[in-house]
Amino acid sequence: MSRDLHAKPLNAADFAAFGEVLEAVGEPDKMINQGLCGRHHDRARLDFADGRAGISVFNAQARTLPFTLEMMERHPEGSQAFVPMHQNPYLVVVADDDGGKPGQPRAFLAQPGQGVNLHRNVWHGVLCPLQDPGLFAVIDRIGEGANLEEHWFDRPWQVNA
Ligand SMILES: NC(=O)N[C@@H](O)C(=O)O
Ligand code: NI
């Protein structure tokens, strides 16, 4: 017996407890490159504990809605940012911690031009593109030791738009 979860458009205010939305909104902090480029400066809180930052490219298979969310994970040692290398929608699911497991999940539909940075140790669903190609640059921790904790739900969630 699954439980239903409604995805809402991704927005910085609702996402703030879990991380940042990476997007060129508002006035740039600085105009650079002879005034031809707006720099939206230092927009994410990165954290890599005793490791270092790395950039990887994820090529993830597209999923379809309704999406069955069976598992959430977190990275105790570092933040994780997903920057789409496309203009397609994708699903972001996050949750507060509730005694060492995910609390009420929150689902968001990322719009074209939006990336996300997940704060260290925030519960999230794995990368979930909704159209091919599911190509993302991922900025996360490279280092020693375990950095992945998973929680599998007894009852999955059905995520829909
Ligand atoms: N496990 C892994 O590298 N990917 C996940 O962290 C994810 O959030 O997709
Ligand atoms: Ni992750």
Side-chain angles (χ1 to χ4, degrees):
M1 170 71 175
S2 63
R3 298 168 283 185
D4 290 332
L5 204 51
H6 170 72
K8 63 191 302 187
L10 180 62
N11 67 89
D14 288 343
F15 198 72
F18 307 102
E20 292 84 20
V21 177
L22 307 173
E23 53 187 344
V25 290
E27 286 302 308
D29 296 286
K30 187 176 183 182
M31 292 308 292
I32 59 175
N33 301 351
Q34 293 74 48
L36 298 178
C37 174
R39 179 175 174 133
H40 299 264
H41 181 68
D42 194 18
R43 292 302 172 95
R45 190 176 90 210
L46 305 183
D47 183 345
F48 305 113
D50 57 351
R52 63 175 175 82
I55 300 181
S56 304
V57 177
F58 282 24
N59 186 7
Q61 282 192 27
R63 281 36 167 222
T64 54
L65 295 179
F67 172 71
T68 303
L69 180 75
E70 298 177 291
M71 179 272 277
M72 296 184 81
E73 59 167 47
R74 61 182 177 179
H75 308 296
E77 299 303 319
S79 56
Q80 188 172 50
F82 293 92
V83 182
M85 300 166 84
H86 52 73
Q87 289 279 310
N88 303 326
Y90 59 101
L91 187 65
V92 181
V93 183
V94 288
D96 288 323
D97 183 56
D98 177 13
K101 59 182 177 45
Q104 171 62 48
R106 306 275 303 275
F108 298 95
L109 274 180
Q111 310 301 307
Q114 291 183 319
V116 290
N117 177 60
L118 298 162
H119 288 163
R120 178 175 176 177
N121 216 30
V122 167
W123 289 108
H124 58 280
V126 298
L127 182 59
C128 189
L130 295 175
Q131 284 178 19
D132 287 324
L135 285 172
F136 291 75
V138 178
I139 301 94
D140 61 5
R141 177 187 180 265
I142 308 297
E144 298 300 312
N147 188 29
L148 174 63
E149 182 181 349
E150 294 182 345
H151 174 85
W152 290 82
F153 293 113
D154 297 336
R155 292 169 56 209
W157 294 84
Q158 287 296 325
V159 187
N160 222 324

